[in-house]
Amino acid sequence: AAGIRLRGVSKQFRVSHEKPALVRGLLPRLIHPLRVERHWALRDVDLEIDPGSSVGVIGPNGSGKTTLLSVIAGITQPTTGTVQVAGKVAALLSLGSGFHPELTGVENIFLNGMLLGMTTQEIRKKLDAIVAFSQLDGFLDAPLQTYSAGMQLRLGFAVAAHTEFDVLVIDEVMSVGDAAFQAQCLNTLLAFTRAGKTLLIAAQNAEAFRPLVDRA
């Protein structure tokens, strides 16, 4: 059985051009009738990925990469078509996803870990390892809104790296952070591939994941 199998998958979004409620109230004469456009982010996608393989998805902004990964991760449902994924999925889709800016780093580790399917007991057991991986020991009592983009990546990747999963989907986050942490992430992902995990990585160019993938 395939690790990931998509058949005829399409995803449509409704994009509203309605003006904000405050503007409607203040300037009722200037408000046009509600306009809603239908945007197809994905159209009739067929994709099959073998268990334990690593695949890259390349495309510019707006090409549907994030939507594809969100559908595979079960975060959003396709408008049409079928999605089959063998095993548990972990997703690292964007900086700050699954985090709350007003919570501390430690609190966000628990929040994000639970969203990825871990229990609080499991997170407590892995907390020291997550903190060590993130290299953010001195900042974990500060709210996330004080973190730089690179620090948020460290935290998000550290939590995802300590989650039990069969399939990992990653969306355009490998280019953030310093060279040392990028190398740490790369080594961790290579260890996942050696352990037989299925990886799906999206980026705007192949250089971001060339050492990791079997095909793109």
Side-chain angles (χ1 to χ4, degrees):
I4 301 171
R5 178 180 290 150
L6 277 62
R7 289 289 181 267
V9 168
S10 298
K11 179 64 181 181
Q12 184 187 78
F13 292 101
R14 291 163 56 90
V15 182
S16 173
H17 295 275
E18 177 80 304
K19 298 237 181 348
L22 178 60
V23 176
R24 287 204 308 272
L26 294 176
L27 303 170
R29 294 181 183 180
L30 300 182
I31 301 303
H32 299 289
L34 176 64
R35 291 192 300 118
V36 176
E37 293 182 3
R38 300 180 184 275
H39 170 67
W40 289 97
L42 301 173
R43 291 298 296 264
D44 300 322
V45 175
D46 293 332
L47 177 65
E48 192 160 316
I49 298 174
D50 293 331
S53 60
S54 301
V55 175
V57 177
I58 306 172
N61 286 333
S63 59
K65 302 186 303 297
T66 299
T67 302
L68 175 67
L69 268 58
S70 296
V71 166
I72 290 171
I75 294 169
T76 186
Q77 296 299 310
T79 305
T80 62
T82 60
V83 179
Q84 295 176 304
V85 181
K88 184 178 178 181
V89 183
L92 189 58
L93 295 185
S94 64
L95 290 175
S97 63
F99 287 148
H100 193 290
E102 295 179 7
L103 297 180
T104 67
V106 169
E107 290 167 338
N108 271 294
I109 288 174
F110 279 88
L111 174 62
N112 194 242
M114 287 187 287
L115 289 174
L116 289 172
M118 286 193 281
T119 65
T120 55
Q121 291 81 4
E122 288 174 324
I123 299 168
R124 286 193 186 98
K125 290 179 181 178
K126 298 178 179 181
L127 184 59
D128 288 345
I130 293 172
V131 170
F133 189 100
S134 73
Q135 302 172 14
L136 293 171
D137 192 21
F139 302 92
L140 290 175
D141 290 328
L144 192 78
Q145 60 195 4
T146 65
Y147 285 30
S148 67
M151 292 167 71
Q152 290 184 45
L153 169 65
R154 287 173 181 267
L155 200 62
F157 198 96
V159 176
H162 290 83
T163 303
E164 297 297 328
F165 63 84
D166 303 293
V167 177
L168 178 63
V169 295
I170 306 176
D171 183 23
E172 295 195 87
V173 297
M174 298 306 296
S175 60
V176 182
D178 57 40
F181 191 74
Q182 287 183 30
Q184 183 179 350
C185 293
L186 177 62
N187 289 334
T188 301
L189 292 173
L190 288 170
F192 289 154
T193 62
R194 289 192 292 268
K197 309 293 186 182
T198 304
L199 301 184
L200 183 61
I201 306 173
Q204 293 188 46
N205 65 80
E207 296 307 318
F209 51 57
R210 188 182 298 277
L212 286 167
V213 302
D214 307 314
R215 62 188 176 100

PDB file of all heavy atoms in Angstrom, residues 58-85:
ATOM      1  N   ILE A  58       7.916  21.273  -5.650  1.00  0.00           N
ATOM      2  CA  ILE A  58       8.481  22.565  -6.017  1.00  0.00           C
ATOM      3  C   ILE A  58       7.415  23.413  -6.701  1.00  0.00           C
ATOM      4  O   ILE A  58       6.667  22.908  -7.544  1.00  0.00           O
ATOM      5  CB  ILE A  58       9.677  22.396  -6.973  1.00  0.00           C
ATOM      6  CG1 ILE A  58      10.714  21.441  -6.379  1.00  0.00           C
ATOM      7  CG2 ILE A  58      10.326  23.748  -7.275  1.00  0.00           C
ATOM      8  CD1 ILE A  58      11.811  21.077  -7.354  1.00  0.00           C
ATOM      9  N   GLY A  59       7.363  24.698  -6.345  1.00  0.00           N
ATOM     10  CA  GLY A  59       6.439  25.593  -7.030  1.00  0.00           C
ATOM     11  C   GLY A  59       6.513  26.980  -6.436  1.00  0.00           C
ATOM     12  O   GLY A  59       6.887  27.154  -5.281  1.00  0.00           O
ATOM     13  N   PRO A  60       6.162  28.001  -7.241  1.00  0.00           N
ATOM     14  CA  PRO A  60       6.196  29.379  -6.736  1.00  0.00           C
ATOM     15  C   PRO A  60       5.059  29.636  -5.757  1.00  0.00           C
ATOM     16  O   PRO A  60       4.170  28.794  -5.570  1.00  0.00           O
ATOM     17  CB  PRO A  60       6.026  30.213  -8.005  1.00  0.00           C
ATOM     18  CG  PRO A  60       5.239  29.334  -8.925  1.00  0.00           C
ATOM     19  CD  PRO A  60       5.710  27.937  -8.646  1.00  0.00           C
ATOM     20  N   ASN A  61       5.074  30.810  -5.139  1.00  0.00           N
ATOM     21  CA  ASN A  61       3.977  31.204  -4.255  1.00  0.00           C
ATOM     22  C   ASN A  61       2.656  31.163  -5.016  1.00  0.00           C
ATOM     23  O   ASN A  61       2.577  31.607  -6.166  1.00  0.00           O
ATOM     24  CB  ASN A  61       4.195  32.624  -3.717  1.00  0.00           C
ATOM     25  CG  ASN A  61       5.272  32.675  -2.660  1.00  0.00           C
ATOM     26  OD1 ASN A  61       5.532  31.693  -1.972  1.00  0.00           O
ATOM     27  ND2 ASN A  61       5.919  33.826  -2.518  1.00  0.00           N
ATOM     28  N   GLY A  62       1.625  30.614  -4.366  1.00  0.00           N
ATOM     29  CA  GLY A  62       0.317  30.557  -4.993  1.00  0.00           C
ATOM     30  C   GLY A  62       0.077  29.348  -5.865  1.00  0.00           C
ATOM     31  O   GLY A  62      -0.991  29.227  -6.479  1.00  0.00           O
ATOM     32  N   SER A  63       1.047  28.436  -5.938  1.00  0.00           N
ATOM     33  CA  SER A  63       0.885  27.272  -6.813  1.00  0.00           C
ATOM     34  C   SER A  63       0.129  26.132  -6.157  1.00  0.00           C
ATOM     35  O   SER A  63      -0.178  25.133  -6.824  1.00  0.00           O
ATOM     36  CB  SER A  63       2.258  26.784  -7.290  1.00  0.00           C
ATOM     37  OG  SER A  63       3.078  26.431  -6.184  1.00  0.00           O
ATOM     38  N   GLY A  64      -0.170  26.241  -4.858  1.00  0.00           N
ATOM     39  CA  GLY A  64      -0.970  25.211  -4.203  1.00  0.00           C
ATOM     40  C   GLY A  64      -0.200  24.261  -3.320  1.00  0.00           C
ATOM     41  O   GLY A  64      -0.758  23.278  -2.826  1.00  0.00           O
ATOM     42  N   LYS A  65       1.079  24.549  -3.055  1.00  0.00           N
ATOM     43  CA  LYS A  65       1.896  23.634  -2.249  1.00  0.00           C
ATOM     44  C   LYS A  65       1.337  23.463  -0.844  1.00  0.00           C
ATOM     45  O   LYS A  65       1.186  22.344  -0.354  1.00  0.00           O
ATOM     46  CB  LYS A  65       3.343  24.131  -2.166  1.00  0.00           C
ATOM     47  CG  LYS A  65       4.048  24.305  -3.487  1.00  0.00           C
ATOM     48  CD  LYS A  65       5.514  24.662  -3.311  1.00  0.00           C
ATOM     49  CE  LYS A  65       5.749  25.917  -2.493  1.00  0.00           C
ATOM     50  NZ  LYS A  65       5.187  27.128  -3.150  1.00  0.00           N
ATOM     51  N   THR A  66       1.050  24.582  -0.192  1.00  0.00           N
ATOM     52  CA  THR A  66       0.552  24.519   1.184  1.00  0.00           C
ATOM     53  C   THR A  66      -0.802  23.833   1.243  1.00  0.00           C
ATOM     54  O   THR A  66      -1.070  23.037   2.154  1.00  0.00           O
ATOM     55  CB  THR A  66       0.447  25.932   1.787  1.00  0.00           C
ATOM     56  OG1 THR A  66       1.752  26.523   1.802  1.00  0.00           O
ATOM     57  CG2 THR A  66      -0.086  25.885   3.210  1.00  0.00           C
ATOM     58  N   THR A  67      -1.661  24.101   0.267  1.00  0.00           N
ATOM     59  CA  THR A  67      -2.970  23.439   0.219  1.00  0.00           C
ATOM     60  C   THR A  67      -2.801  21.937   0.055  1.00  0.00           C
ATOM     61  O   THR A  67      -3.480  21.146   0.719  1.00  0.00           O
ATOM     62  CB  THR A  67      -3.818  24.007  -0.929  1.00  0.00           C
ATOM     63  OG1 THR A  67      -3.971  25.411  -0.750  1.00  0.00           O
ATOM     64  CG2 THR A  67      -5.191  23.360  -0.960  1.00  0.00           C
ATOM     65  N   LEU A  68      -1.886  21.524  -0.812  1.00  0.00           N
ATOM     66  CA  LEU A  68      -1.633  20.101  -1.012  1.00  0.00           C
ATOM     67  C   LEU A  68      -1.208  19.434   0.292  1.00  0.00           C
ATOM     68  O   LEU A  68      -1.743  18.388   0.682  1.00  0.00           O
ATOM     69  CB  LEU A  68      -0.540  19.917  -2.070  1.00  0.00           C
ATOM     70  CG  LEU A  68      -0.080  18.476  -2.313  1.00  0.00           C
ATOM     71  CD1 LEU A  68      -1.188  17.650  -2.946  1.00  0.00           C
ATOM     72  CD2 LEU A  68       1.172  18.454  -3.196  1.00  0.00           C
ATOM     73  N   LEU A  69      -0.255  20.042   0.985  1.00  0.00           N
ATOM     74  CA  LEU A  69       0.224  19.466   2.236  1.00  0.00           C
ATOM     75  C   LEU A  69      -0.865  19.478   3.308  1.00  0.00           C
ATOM     76  O   LEU A  69      -0.959  18.546   4.112  1.00  0.00           O
ATOM     77  CB  LEU A  69       1.469  20.201   2.719  1.00  0.00           C
ATOM     78  CG  LEU A  69       2.817  19.614   2.247  1.00  0.00           C
ATOM     79  CD1 LEU A  69       2.902  19.568   0.729  1.00  0.00           C
ATOM     80  CD2 LEU A  69       3.982  20.429   2.789  1.00  0.00           C
ATOM     81  N   SER A  70      -1.683  20.528   3.337  1.00  0.00           N
ATOM     82  CA  SER A  70      -2.770  20.612   4.319  1.00  0.00           C
ATOM     83  C   SER A  70      -3.801  19.522   4.094  1.00  0.00           C
ATOM     84  O   SER A  70      -4.339  18.947   5.049  1.00  0.00           O
ATOM     85  CB  SER A  70      -3.437  21.987   4.243  1.00  0.00           C
ATOM     86  OG  SER A  70      -2.546  23.010   4.595  1.00  0.00           O
ATOM     87  N   VAL A  71      -4.075  19.212   2.832  1.00  0.00           N
ATOM     88  CA  VAL A  71      -5.022  18.143   2.509  1.00  0.00           C
ATOM     89  C   VAL A  71      -4.450  16.802   2.946  1.00  0.00           C
ATOM     90  O   VAL A  71      -5.153  15.968   3.541  1.00  0.00           O
ATOM     91  CB  VAL A  71      -5.341  18.152   0.999  1.00  0.00           C
ATOM     92  CG1 VAL A  71      -6.036  16.866   0.582  1.00  0.00           C
ATOM     93  CG2 VAL A  71      -6.211  19.355   0.651  1.00  0.00           C
ATOM     94  N   ILE A  72      -3.166  16.574   2.673  1.00  0.00           N
ATOM     95  CA  ILE A  72      -2.533  15.308   3.058  1.00  0.00           C
ATOM     96  C   ILE A  72      -2.484  15.161   4.576  1.00  0.00           C
ATOM     97  O   ILE A  72      -2.683  14.073   5.112  1.00  0.00           O
ATOM     98  CB  ILE A  72      -1.118  15.226   2.445  1.00  0.00           C
ATOM     99  CG1 ILE A  72      -1.216  15.049   0.927  1.00  0.00           C
ATOM    100  CG2 ILE A  72      -0.315  14.075   3.059  1.00  0.00           C
ATOM    101  CD1 ILE A  72       0.104  15.165   0.204  1.00  0.00           C
ATOM    102  N   ALA A  73      -2.255  16.283   5.277  1.00  0.00           N
ATOM    103  CA  ALA A  73      -2.177  16.247   6.744  1.00  0.00           C
ATOM    104  C   ALA A  73      -3.543  16.159   7.402  1.00  0.00           C
ATOM    105  O   ALA A  73      -3.632  15.983   8.620  1.00  0.00           O
ATOM    106  CB  ALA A  73      -1.438  17.481   7.252  1.00  0.00           C
ATOM    107  N   GLY A  74      -4.607  16.303   6.609  1.00  0.00           N
ATOM    108  CA  GLY A  74      -5.951  16.230   7.177  1.00  0.00           C
ATOM    109  C   GLY A  74      -6.405  17.523   7.821  1.00  0.00           C
ATOM    110  O   GLY A  74      -7.425  17.553   8.511  1.00  0.00           O
ATOM    111  N   ILE A  75      -5.655  18.608   7.596  1.00  0.00           N
ATOM    112  CA  ILE A  75      -6.010  19.900   8.172  1.00  0.00           C
ATOM    113  C   ILE A  75      -7.197  20.506   7.433  1.00  0.00           C
ATOM    114  O   ILE A  75      -8.044  21.174   8.013  1.00  0.00           O
ATOM    115  CB  ILE A  75      -4.800  20.840   8.153  1.00  0.00           C
ATOM    116  CG1 ILE A  75      -3.711  20.294   9.087  1.00  0.00           C
ATOM    117  CG2 ILE A  75      -5.174  22.255   8.546  1.00  0.00           C
ATOM    118  CD1 ILE A  75      -2.378  20.995   8.954  1.00  0.00           C
ATOM    119  N   THR A  76      -7.251  20.273   6.124  1.00  0.00           N
ATOM    120  CA  THR A  76      -8.387  20.703   5.324  1.00  0.00           C
ATOM    121  C   THR A  76      -8.848  19.532   4.462  1.00  0.00           C
ATOM    122  O   THR A  76      -8.047  18.650   4.138  1.00  0.00           O
ATOM    123  CB  THR A  76      -8.023  21.921   4.450  1.00  0.00           C
ATOM    124  OG1 THR A  76      -9.182  22.404   3.789  1.00  0.00           O
ATOM    125  CG2 THR A  76      -6.986  21.555   3.409  1.00  0.00           C
ATOM    126  N   GLN A  77     -10.121  19.523   4.132  1.00  0.00           N
ATOM    127  CA  GLN A  77     -10.690  18.440   3.343  1.00  0.00           C
ATOM    128  C   GLN A  77     -10.753  18.836   1.873  1.00  0.00           C
ATOM    129  O   GLN A  77     -11.050  19.988   1.547  1.00  0.00           O
ATOM    130  CB  GLN A  77     -12.102  18.095   3.849  1.00  0.00           C
ATOM    131  CG  GLN A  77     -12.135  17.557   5.258  1.00  0.00           C
ATOM    132  CD  GLN A  77     -11.349  16.263   5.403  1.00  0.00           C
ATOM    133  OE1 GLN A  77     -11.523  15.330   4.625  1.00  0.00           O
ATOM    134  NE2 GLN A  77     -10.479  16.224   6.398  1.00  0.00           N
ATOM    135  N   PRO A  78     -10.500  17.899   0.960  1.00  0.00           N
ATOM    136  CA  PRO A  78     -10.600  18.245  -0.462  1.00  0.00           C
ATOM    137  C   PRO A  78     -12.051  18.497  -0.866  1.00  0.00           C
ATOM    138  O   PRO A  78     -12.970  17.938  -0.277  1.00  0.00           O
ATOM    139  CB  PRO A  78     -10.040  16.997  -1.151  1.00  0.00           C
ATOM    140  CG  PRO A  78     -10.272  15.878  -0.190  1.00  0.00           C
ATOM    141  CD  PRO A  78     -10.130  16.487   1.172  1.00  0.00           C
ATOM    142  N   THR A  79     -12.233  19.343  -1.862  1.00  0.00           N
ATOM    143  CA  THR A  79     -13.571  19.577  -2.403  1.00  0.00           C
ATOM    144  C   THR A  79     -14.050  18.347  -3.151  1.00  0.00           C
ATOM    145  O   THR A  79     -15.209  17.945  -3.042  1.00  0.00           O
ATOM    146  CB  THR A  79     -13.554  20.807  -3.334  1.00  0.00           C
ATOM    147  OG1 THR A  79     -13.022  21.934  -2.612  1.00  0.00           O
ATOM    148  CG2 THR A  79     -14.958  21.140  -3.818  1.00  0.00           C
ATOM    149  N   THR A  80     -13.151  17.750  -3.923  1.00  0.00           N
ATOM    150  CA  THR A  80     -13.440  16.487  -4.615  1.00  0.00           C
ATOM    151  C   THR A  80     -12.212  15.597  -4.539  1.00  0.00           C
ATOM    152  O   THR A  80     -11.103  16.069  -4.289  1.00  0.00           O
ATOM    153  CB  THR A  80     -13.800  16.717  -6.098  1.00  0.00           C
ATOM    154  OG1 THR A  80     -12.664  17.316  -6.760  1.00  0.00           O
ATOM    155  CG2 THR A  80     -15.012  17.624  -6.249  1.00  0.00           C
ATOM    156  N   GLY A  81     -12.403  14.307  -4.767  1.00  0.00           N
ATOM    157  CA  GLY A  81     -11.302  13.358  -4.786  1.00  0.00           C
ATOM    158  C   GLY A  81     -11.104  12.656  -3.458  1.00  0.00           C
ATOM    159  O   GLY A  81     -11.806  12.913  -2.479  1.00  0.00           O
ATOM    160  N   THR A  82     -10.142  11.751  -3.427  1.00  0.00           N
ATOM    161  CA  THR A  82      -9.877  10.946  -2.234  1.00  0.00           C
ATOM    162  C   THR A  82      -8.416  11.073  -1.816  1.00  0.00           C
ATOM    163  O   THR A  82      -7.516  11.201  -2.657  1.00  0.00           O
ATOM    164  CB  THR A  82     -10.195   9.465  -2.479  1.00  0.00           C
ATOM    165  OG1 THR A  82      -9.384   8.973  -3.562  1.00  0.00           O
ATOM    166  CG2 THR A  82     -11.674   9.273  -2.831  1.00  0.00           C
ATOM    167  N   VAL A  83      -8.198  11.020  -0.499  1.00  0.00           N
ATOM    168  CA  VAL A  83      -6.858  11.087   0.081  1.00  0.00           C
ATOM    169  C   VAL A  83      -6.686   9.902   1.017  1.00  0.00           C
ATOM    170  O   VAL A  83      -7.500   9.697   1.908  1.00  0.00           O
ATOM    171  CB  VAL A  83      -6.643  12.393   0.872  1.00  0.00           C
ATOM    172  CG1 VAL A  83      -5.246  12.426   1.490  1.00  0.00           C
ATOM    173  CG2 VAL A  83      -6.863  13.606  -0.018  1.00  0.00           C
ATOM    174  N   GLN A  84      -5.640   9.125   0.808  1.00  0.00           N
ATOM    175  CA  GLN A  84      -5.319   8.000   1.689  1.00  0.00           C
ATOM    176  C   GLN A  84      -3.889   8.173   2.189  1.00  0.00           C
ATOM    177  O   GLN A  84      -2.970   8.359   1.398  1.00  0.00           O
ATOM    178  CB  GLN A  84      -5.456   6.663   0.956  1.00  0.00           C
ATOM    179  CG  GLN A  84      -6.876   6.330   0.513  1.00  0.00           C
ATOM    180  CD  GLN A  84      -6.917   5.041  -0.298  1.00  0.00           C
ATOM    181  OE1 GLN A  84      -6.235   4.909  -1.310  1.00  0.00           O
ATOM    182  NE2 GLN A  84      -7.712   4.084   0.159  1.00  0.00           N
ATOM    183  N   VAL A  85      -3.729   8.119   3.505  1.00  0.00           N
ATOM    184  CA  VAL A  85      -2.404   8.225   4.112  1.00  0.00           C
ATOM    185  C   VAL A  85      -2.245   7.078   5.100  1.00  0.00           C
ATOM    186  O   VAL A  85      -3.089   6.897   5.982  1.00  0.00           O
ATOM    187  CB  VAL A  85      -2.212   9.572   4.838  1.00  0.00           C
ATOM    188  CG1 VAL A  85      -0.811   9.657   5.436  1.00  0.00           C
ATOM    189  CG2 VAL A  85      -2.451  10.739   3.886  1.00  0.00           C
TER     190      VAL A  85
END
